[in-house]
Amino acid sequence: MPPELALDPKAFPQSPPPDLCDPGILVDHDWRAFTEVRRMKSHWDRPGWADGRRAFYWMLTFPGATGLIRRTQHCQDELAHLGMDSIPSDGLHVTLTRIGSTEVVQRSRVQLLAGLAGHLRIPAFPLTARPLAGSTGAVRFTLTPWSPLVALQAALSEIGSRVGVPGGRPTSMFRPHLGIQYNNRERPAAPVIASVARLRTLAPVSLEISRVELVELWRTSNPPSYRWQVVHSVPLLPADVPHP
C-alpha cells in the first residue's frame, strides 16, 4: 500500500483523491479542484530561487517520449493565446522530491543517495498522461495511477532522511502532475479553465517509467524555465522481476 496522503492547505489539490489508482476518480478530482480556482498567480513568484541558485532533485524526465511531446506541443499551440510560459519538450518532468541546495548537499552525499536508490528494488511501472487540468500557477496533465508515484516518492524521501539531506515536502503533501505551461502573471482563472476544457477530449498518452533521475536543477529567466543536468540516472527493476 502507498503511504497516506493528507489534506494540506499548501498542496494543490488541498485534499488528496479518495482513490490513488482509479483513473476516473483521479481525473475528476484534479479537474474539480482546478474549476474551483478563482484567480491564478505567477508560478515564478517563489522565494528561494534567486539567480544562480541550484538544487538537487529527484525527477522523472521524458526525453524519448515522442507521443507525450507531440501531445504537449499540440496543447501548447492551442493555448498560445493565453500568453503563458510553455515548458520546452526537453523540460517536461515530474518532480518527485527536493534533495537540497547544492550549497548544502555535498557531492559525496549525492553519490550515497544514488547508491541507496539503486538498491530500492522498485519495479518499473506504466503511467498515463490524462486530460489537461491545472493549478493556481500552471496547466498540467493529470497522471494516473498515483500509487506507484507516491510509493517511489516516499522511498526516495526515506533514503534522503537516512543520509541526512534537507529534503523537500513530506509525502503527505505529494500531488503528482506533469506541467506543460507555467502561468506568469495574476489573472482570472475562468478564461484559462474554459480554454483547457476544450482540450479534455484528447486521448490519453501512455508512458513507461523505467528510471528515476537525480538532477542538479536551476532556473533561467530568458526565457523563464527550469533546466537541469542529470547527475545520476537510476534504473528501476524490470516489471517482470520479482520484488518485495
Side-chain angles (χ1 to χ4, degrees):
M1 291 290 292
E4 287 285 328
L5 303 185
L7 186 148
D8 195 301
K10 295 180 181 179
F12 190 92
Q14 293 186 10
S15 61
D19 189 299
L20 302 187
C21 295
D22 186 288
I25 290 175
L26 290 165
V27 167
D28 183 65
H29 186 79
D30 267 6
W31 182 244
R32 284 178 180 270
F34 188 40
T35 59
E36 292 171 1
V37 174
R38 295 295 170 259
R39 291 195 64 81
M40 297 184 71
K41 59 187 178 182
S42 174
H43 171 85
W44 306 111
D45 290 342
R46 295 186 169 194
W49 275 107
D51 287 347
R53 186 74 181 271
R54 291 177 175 237
F56 296 113
Y57 279 81
W58 285 111
M59 299 196 321
L60 304 179
T61 64
F62 304 94
T66 55
L68 175 66
I69 291 169
R70 285 196 299 267
R71 177 60 48 77
T72 296
Q73 291 173 338
H74 171 74
C75 291
Q76 289 171 340
D77 289 344
E78 293 295 313
L79 298 174
H81 63 282
L82 296 173
M84 291 188 177
D85 295 323
S86 292
I87 297 174
S89 59
D90 62 351
L92 296 172
H93 65 279
V94 175
T95 301
L96 294 171
T97 191
R98 188 177 191 272
I99 295 167
S101 167
T102 56
E103 299 170 357
V104 175
V105 180
Q106 297 175 339
R107 290 279 174 168
S108 58
R109 296 207 173 198
V110 170
Q111 186 72 33
L112 180 56
L113 275 177
L116 290 173
H119 290 90
L120 285 175
R121 297 189 60 77
I122 292 177
F125 56 90
L127 199 61
T128 304
R130 299 275 174 178
L132 282 179
S135 67
T136 57
V139 172
R140 60 202 205 181
F141 288 114
T142 294
L143 296 174
T144 65
W146 278 22
S147 50
L149 291 167
V150 173
L152 178 57
Q153 194 274 354
L156 295 171
S157 295
E158 193 276 331
I159 62 171
S161 296
R162 284 161 53 191
V163 172
V165 298
R169 292 183 172 188
T171 301
S172 62
M173 290 181 64
F174 184 49
R175 307 289 190 262
H177 59 272
L178 201 169
I180 68 163
Q181 287 188 316
Y182 290 128
N183 186 50
N184 49 22
R185 63 181 184 271
E186 286 274 344
R187 73 169 87 204
V192 179
I193 295 169
S195 296
V196 170
R198 292 193 285 269
L199 297 171
R200 286 178 55 78
T201 58
L202 296 172
V205 177
S206 297
L207 303 164
E208 291 294 327
I209 307 303
S210 60
R211 61 185 57 248
V212 59
E213 316 288 7
L214 194 164
V215 307
E216 181 178 341
L217 179 140
W218 62 93
R219 256 171 50 166
T220 64
S221 56
N222 188 24
S225 65
Y226 293 103
R227 310 305 290 170
W228 64 80
Q229 62 180 10
V230 175
V231 181
H232 292 284
S233 184
V234 179
L236 303 179
L237 287 178
D240 57 353
V241 171
H243 57 90

